[in-house]
Amino acid sequence: MTSPLMSTPGAVSAESPDSGVAAHYGDPAHEGRAMERSSAWVDRSNRGVVRVDGPDRLGWLNDLTSQSTKGLVPGTATEALILDTRGHLRHHLSLVDDGEAVWIHTEPGGGAPLAAFLDSMRFMLRVEVEDLGDSRAVLTVLGPDRAKAVEAASLGDVPVRAAEDGTDLFLPVERLSAAAEALTAAGARPAGMWAYEAQRIAGHRVRPGLDTDDRTIPHEVDWVGRAVDLEKGCYPGQETVARVHNLGRPPRRLVMLHLDGTAERLPEVGSPIELEGRPVGRVGTSARHHELGPIALGVLKRSAPVDADLVVEGIAAGQEVVVDPDTGANAQITLRRRPR
């Protein structure tokens, strides 16, 4: 579905998986600067939206996900993972509770599968699950002045997820254009997914399904602490998370790659990362940042040297360590010999 905000002057459509929303509005460099220095709004109406209400919702989500939600304070933004029994990702949730319901957004195309899974896990609990992908749209406001812009826009009573990296508005679809116009009038600049993705990559935040694969575990991609609470009780996949945290090191580690700026192209998602002609990992998302130039996220074997120069599709790449090779292994184990 094409967003109504594609009629905004200068809008150029993004490519899959973000087709239907804008890649940029004519000047991605200035759009990126607005995200960092003032305020900007980003059309993310392609995101899946799911609403969960009912008095048991927070305890129920606490039992299903990697995040502690049982005592979640209304208005507190968080992330959560639904893992399989081996600790591999099934769903990533960006969520907030408004005191009456939990509002969730997830990757494009992910709302319906998430809602179906949650609905299948209700059993006798007092929860209701709705897939609102056709009726609600996410508009994200970023930058140090974003709170002022949202307040000045007077958007009324809409669910708001205010996180460290941006404020997500869960708007009725029919109000999307009016909200964007009000934010623009309040000083927020229209910005596309080009600048948004560049900021996300620079912030070392992985995107599920692009920076992850079917073998990804949370420790590998810096989700522990952000989307995984190590102190909470049982949930599917917890055994793997606890084992890596206490005893082992994850087999792979997240890096940010600084790509050679003379290359005219960006690498494809899933392309091998090579060290001296040998594959040592895979590249995920990439973008051109207004200050850093071409950057990407990648996952390397833990054994790959942290100071090695790498190559992706013939493009030279320097690595910035995000996940330390020695992450995990927090247990202190002392072996004692039995006296003779």
Side-chain angles (χ1 to χ4, degrees), residues 139-199:
L139 194 66
T140 298
V141 190
L142 304 102
D145 298 334
R146 65 181 181 272
K148 294 179 183 178
V150 172
E151 182 179 2
S154 301
L155 300 174
D157 186 19
V158 298
V160 175
R161 178 182 179 273
E164 183 179 351
D165 56 341
T167 299
D168 299 324
L169 309 173
F170 292 85
L171 293 158
V173 170
E174 62 272 15
R175 291 177 55 189
L176 184 60
S177 295
E181 291 174 4
L183 287 166
T184 302
R189 180 176 185 137
M193 291 302 297
W194 180 327
Y196 178 85
E197 287 289 274
Q199 187 189 65

Side-chain angles (χ1 to χ4, degrees), residues 194 258-268 286-289 292-295 310-317:
W194 180 327
H258 293 267
L259 304 170
D260 182 357
T262 62
E264 296 182 358
R265 57 190 172 82
L266 295 170
E268 295 288 331
S286 57
R288 297 186 186 277
H289 190 274
L292 300 175
I295 54 176
L310 306 166
V311 175
V312 185
E313 292 185 1
I315 304 169

Side-chain angles (χ1 to χ4, degrees), residues 207-221:
R207 187 165 179 183
L210 298 174
D211 298 308
T212 68
D213 58 24
D214 58 5
R215 297 185 294 124
T216 300
I217 59 176
H219 276 87
E220 293 179 330
V221 292

Side-chain angles (χ1 to χ4, degrees), residues 86 219 238-249 329:
R86 299 177 62 188
H219 276 87
Q238 184 195 24
E239 183 178 351
T240 296
V241 172
R243 183 171 63 248
V244 173
H245 183 71
N246 291 317
L247 300 176
R249 298 175 176 86

